[in-house]
Amino acid sequence: MTGVETRSVARDSLFLLADIRVEQSSDTYRVRVRNLSDGGMMGEGQMRVQRGHRLTIELRNIGAVKGTVAWIQDNRFGIAFDEEIDSQQARRPLQAPEDPAAVAARPSWAHRAPPPPQPSKLRKI
């Protein structure tokens, strides 16, 4: 690569993990995502892919994304997505699905304890 930036799409450098499955295979590989843009990503891992392989990538907060291997260099590879994604969404904290039990356990401030009685209205026993 040269020192001149020729890419037209901004990329975010980040470190997150993704699961990748090569089409026509049932094997899933865990890889590191080194940079991510709306149109593609650079992955790093010990999986064997070839240029042109079709992949399904499971990205955090985004879900399954389909793409094609665009380049390979050592254990790094570039993937061009079939459709653009919102790459900023992968940077956000994980969104846990709403658990009905967790909703029931949240404190409710709608019901408050009654105020303490006035000492003058108490009677001694």
Side-chain angles (χ1 to χ4, degrees):
M1 298 188 114
T2 65
V4 176
E5 184 63 49
T6 59
R7 296 181 182 130
S8 61
V9 178
R11 284 167 169 70
D12 289 327
S13 292
L14 70 152
F15 180 82
L16 61 92
L17 297 174
D19 291 322
I20 294 183
R21 187 176 59 79
V22 179
E23 284 187 3
Q24 309 302 324
S25 173
S26 60
D27 296 335
T28 301
Y29 301 91
R30 173 76 38 112
V31 300
R32 291 176 204 88
V33 178
R34 291 296 185 184
N35 65 42
L36 181 66
S37 71
D38 291 352
M41 63 173 259
M42 179 176 67
E44 179 181 55
Q46 298 301 321
M47 65 179 286
R48 300 237 183 250
V49 291
Q50 294 179 359
R51 191 169 179 220
H53 271 174
R54 300 281 303 143
L55 308 170
T56 301
I57 306 99
E58 191 70 34
L59 290 170
R60 175 176 85 178
N61 289 337
I62 294 175
V65 179
K66 293 193 179 281
T68 305
V69 176
W71 58 267
I72 302 166
Q73 186 177 32
D74 300 323
N75 65 341
R76 293 184 178 194
F77 49 90
I79 300 172
F81 298 146
D82 292 350
E83 296 181 20
E84 286 195 354
I85 62 166
D86 178 5
S87 58
Q88 291 299 314
Q89 201 170 359
R91 284 189 168 276
R92 295 184 186 121
L94 286 175
Q95 300 297 319
E98 194 67 34
D99 181 11
V103 172
R106 287 186 188 144
S108 170
W109 303 110
H111 303 287
R112 295 199 164 110
Q118 296 176 5
S120 61
K121 292 190 176 182
L122 292 177
R123 108 187 136 134
K124 292 188 177 187
I125 300 180

